[in-house]
Amino acid sequence: MFRTKPGRRHRGAALALLAAATLVASLTGCSADTVTPGEAREQAPTDGKAGTGGRFGAAAPDAVDCAKAKCIALTFDAGPGEDTPKLLDILKEKQVHATFFLLGQKHVLRYPQVVKRISDEGHEVANHTWTHQILTGLDAAEVRDELSRTQDAIAKITGKKPTLMRPPQGRTDDTVSDVSRELGLSQVLWSITAKDYSTEDTALIRRRVLDQAHGDGIILLHDIYGGTVPAVPGIIDELKRRGYTFVTVPQLIAPGKPEPGTVYRPEKDD
């Protein structure tokens, strides 16, 4: 189980397990539907509209069509933390919206004002469980508790329950999918990771993300580690230079809408 301390340099023993986690392994034994962003867009009703832009004023686009634009989604797990306000300042300055998969017990409860700011500034607020337990090791009631407690805590702050969740280590199975469907939650995995839980080398984090970047990609970072937030400006600037448009996860699949229980996982370019 993953338990972070308030300090940004905490390293719990369970974090080491993340290094061995892969997307393929995470879905072993799971018969749930797995959909790429492109497939979600193609399967959407033809009269749907592209996802809306953010709330940073006239400079932010009202809509993004990721079937035409070179889109990429920036996501952050396991926060908020003490560095999240600085991250929000960066995102506001860069006119970028992100998706935040928030951890309940020691993060949402500890930083309610930051959760509200994330929501108020137009970012997507999502669920990363209550205590970061590996959901595939739990029964249905325990999975439901991990997800529903975070749903309720976020809704109490923002007035809205999330529609997206990310299972810890990306590990999901039929039970997790069934409970997610019941709670109205889609599952979102990733295709780009800096493994920032294992290093505070900002240059390395930046390079890893840039080396893996691809269209329709979903970037996984953690705003609770010391080297990550300082890497974000360089990541944004370089990917914009390469022609990428930053979007939230719902924007990435629009005009499709996230389907509860479904696993969304990008495919890397060849």
Side-chain angles (χ1 to χ4, degrees), residues 5 12-13 19 68 80 83 98 101 103 115 120 122 144 146 201 209 220 224-225 229 238 251:
K5 294 180 181 179
K68 298 178 181 178
D83 285 346
F101 292 90
L103 196 58
V115 175
D120 288 348
R144 189 176 298 107
E146 280 286 315
D201 185 334
V209 171
L220 167 62
I224 58 172
Y225 299 132
V229 171
E238 175 58 21
Q251 285 178 304

Side-chain angles (χ1 to χ4, degrees), residues 221-251:
L221 292 170
H222 300 77
D223 48 327
I224 58 172
Y225 299 132
T228 301
V229 171
V232 171
I235 290 169
I236 292 173
D237 289 346
E238 175 58 21
L239 290 181
K240 282 186 174 182
R241 189 191 69 79
R242 295 182 189 180
Y244 285 93
T245 298
F246 284 91
V247 293
T248 63
V249 171
Q251 285 178 304

